[in-house]
Amino acid sequence: MDDFSEYVAARWPGLVRSAVLLGCTHAEAEDLVQTALERCLLKWSKVQAANDRDAYVHRVLINTFLSGRRRRWTGEKPTAVLPEYAGIDQVNGIDDTDAVMRALDRLPSDQRTAVVLRYYAHLSEQQMATVLDVAAGTVKSRLSRAVKALAQDPNLAELRGYR
C-alpha cells in the first residue's frame, strides 16, 4: 500500500496534466485520474508486475477517458464566457496555452492521444505502442500526421511569428 501511495504522490501532477491535454478541464482531469488510480489500486499487484508501470497506468487513464466520453450527455452546456470571467476583456486573455489547446482540440482523438503521450508524458514509441495496444508503426504514423497538422495550424503559426 505504501508503494501505491508513493507512486500516486510522485505521478499525480503529471497524470492530471496528461488528462488536461487529452481534453478535460482541470476538475475533470483530477476526477479522471482519481478514477483511473482507483482502478489501478484494485489491480495493484498486476500494475507492479507490469514491465512498465507508467505505461500501464497511462493505458488505464486513456481507457477511462475514452469510456467516459462514450457515456451519454451529462447536461453541461458550453458557453462562450464563463461566469467568473464575465467582466474581463476576453481578447487580452488569449495566450499561448489557449492556442495550443485549441490546436490539440482540432486533432482527431488518436492523434491527440499520441501527442500527449509522446511530448508531454515522454513515453517512447514502444511504450506508446504498448499503452495504445497498436503497432509501433501505427504510433509513428499517428505522430507524423499530428505533427504535420499542428505545423499547419494557423493559430500556432501566429505564435511562431509567421503570418
Side-chain angles (χ1 to χ4, degrees):
M1 188 59 92
D2 287 340
D3 188 36
F4 177 77
S5 297
E6 290 171 15
Y7 182 85
V8 170
R11 301 299 195 281
W12 179 267
L15 290 169
V16 170
R17 185 70 181 142
S18 290
V20 167
L21 291 170
L22 286 171
C24 297
T25 65
H26 188 75
E28 289 172 336
E30 287 181 338
D31 289 345
L32 175 68
V33 171
Q34 182 175 351
T35 301
L37 289 172
E38 286 173 359
R39 291 178 182 175
C40 289
L41 177 60
L42 294 174
K43 305 278 186 181
W44 189 243
S45 60
K46 196 172 181 182
V47 175
Q48 286 178 306
N51 289 337
D52 189 337
R53 197 181 292 182
D54 289 333
Y56 188 103
V57 173
H58 271 88
R59 180 67 190 166
V60 172
L61 179 73
I62 289 167
N63 285 343
T64 305
F65 171 75
L66 293 174
S67 145
R69 296 293 174 184
R70 285 190 286 262
R71 292 194 185 112
R72 288 188 299 189
W73 180 61
T74 61
E76 293 181 16
K77 296 179 185 173
T79 179
V81 179
L82 295 174
E84 58 266 28
Y85 300 114
I88 298 173
D89 180 9
Q90 294 296 307
V91 176
N92 291 330
I94 297 174
D95 61 0
D96 296 353
T97 302
D98 183 58
V100 171
M101 291 304 291
R102 288 175 190 263
L104 288 173
D105 284 343
R106 286 188 281 278
L107 292 176
S109 64
D110 61 336
Q111 291 177 19
R112 181 179 182 146
T113 301
V115 168
V116 170
L117 290 176
R118 180 70 179 122
Y119 298 108
Y120 177 71
H122 303 291
L123 297 184
S124 68
E125 288 174 354
Q126 187 56 49
Q127 288 174 310
M128 291 172 59
T130 301
V131 168
L132 299 173
D133 196 26
V134 297
T138 303
V139 167
K140 289 179 184 181
S141 65
R142 286 180 185 176
L143 277 172
S144 175
R145 282 188 231 115
V147 168
K148 183 177 179 182
L150 291 172
Q152 294 173 348
D153 189 287
N155 293 325
L156 295 181
E158 288 178 18
L159 289 177
R160 291 187 297 268
Y162 306 126
R163 301 216 183 216

